[in-house]
Amino acid sequence: MPAAAIDLDRLTPTDRQALIDHLCTFVTPDRWGRIQSVIAQRTRQITVVLEDLYQPHNASAVLRSCDGFGIQDVHVIETRNQFAPNRGVSIGADRWLTLRHYREAAPAPGPSNTARCLQDLKAKGYTLVATTPHERSTTIQAVPIDRPLAILFGTELTGLTPEALELADHYAVIPMFGFSESFNISVSVALCLYDLTTRLRADRPDWALDAAAQAQLQLDWLVKSLKAGDQLVMQFGRDRGWI
């Protein structure tokens, strides 16, 4: 029976910490220290939205950049194309990210996948910044970071859909000085995240996850780090009378 049979997200802080204390005894001190240090650098003040990427290499490289720059949440819109990262490129980065998929099959009643994703982010307080060479675009370096940002990237050939552009709050462009009109999507993500996360960490004291969110990730990553993680959680739950 998998650990999912116990809703880890609904554990009390005391129960969650007890389970963390138990599981960390099954990993080496170096591994546990690495988990803690990486989580301490994670942020949800910036998140990435990917609309209909179709090349596995690009999808994988984007996830690797998100992990490398400490982005925890990635929102994946799959209306026309399935998001299928190549593990050989991502080096397993997707295991440590929170991927939120929007992929209801069309035709579907109600809002589109793009609308559902972006409206959900707006409701959570995110400012939507569409990356596009739009006539009203500002440079990515001029995008303010005084509130949570969701950075939108579109499909490789045509970019963001008109619907995504309509719902965006701001447009941003990466300055270019050559004959090429745009960077590859994975390069664009890396350049944007380098600038935004550098400024975020320098200017915002509240960029890191709070204690509860860090503990939640500690538990999730411990389970993923252990070959018998699910079984250890279930046995602990039985011993504690959770199941």
Side-chain angles (χ1 to χ4, degrees), residues 7-195:
D7 191 344
L8 301 181
D9 292 340
R10 296 179 65 87
L11 293 178
T12 67
T14 299
D15 286 338
R16 181 182 296 114
Q17 190 58 53
L19 182 53
I20 290 171
D21 292 342
H22 175 67
L23 293 178
C24 72
T25 63
F26 294 91
V27 297
T28 65
D30 285 347
R31 182 61 174 176
W32 177 226
R34 180 64 173 163
I35 287 174
Q36 291 176 296
S37 65
V38 171
I39 289 176
Q41 294 298 320
R42 283 302 209 237
T43 187
R44 285 193 164 111
Q45 294 298 315
I46 296 172
T47 190
V48 167
V49 178
L50 305 174
E51 187 184 39
D52 272 326
L53 267 62
Y54 63 84
Q55 293 185 357
H57 180 93
N58 284 335
S60 307
V62 167
L63 296 184
R64 191 168 175 179
S65 292
C66 289
D67 175 63
F69 287 111
I71 304 300
Q72 183 56 38
D73 297 337
V74 179
H75 300 260
V76 181
I77 299 169
E78 300 173 89
T79 300
R80 292 169 293 169
N81 304 314
Q82 182 181 6
F83 188 76
N86 183 321
R87 285 293 181 90
V89 178
S90 67
I91 318 295
D94 54 304
R95 295 183 66 208
W96 316 112
L97 301 172
T98 303
L99 301 183
R100 305 186 187 279
H101 295 268
Y102 300 80
R103 53 189 175 196
E104 286 187 4
S112 68
N113 292 324
T114 293
R116 287 192 303 112
C117 174
L118 301 187
Q119 289 168 0
D120 180 59
L121 285 166
K122 281 192 174 185
K124 292 177 179 176
Y126 283 89
T127 296
L128 307 183
V129 180
T131 55
T132 174
H134 194 278
E135 62 182 11
R136 289 184 288 149
S137 295
T138 185
T139 63
I140 195 69
Q141 295 96 326
V143 172
I145 56 167
D146 57 340
R147 59 181 299 179
L149 297 178
I151 313 301
L152 284 54
F153 299 90
T155 191
E156 289 88 343
L157 183 61
T158 57
L160 291 163
T161 61
E163 183 178 29
L165 294 173
E166 179 67 25
L167 289 170
D169 299 303
H170 303 289
Y171 304 125
V173 64
I174 303 169
M176 298 187 68
F177 307 98
F179 290 106
S180 300
E181 294 182 355
S182 64
F183 290 107
N184 173 276
I185 177 66
S186 61
V187 174
S188 295
V189 172
L191 289 171
C192 289
L193 292 183
Y194 175 77
D195 175 80

Side-chain angles (χ1 to χ4, degrees), residues 189-211:
V189 172
L191 289 171
C192 289
L193 292 183
Y194 175 77
D195 175 80
L196 293 170
T197 59
T198 298
R199 290 194 285 127
L200 180 74
R201 289 184 168 88
D203 299 342
R204 290 270 306 275
D206 61 341
W207 60 266
L209 301 179
D210 62 27

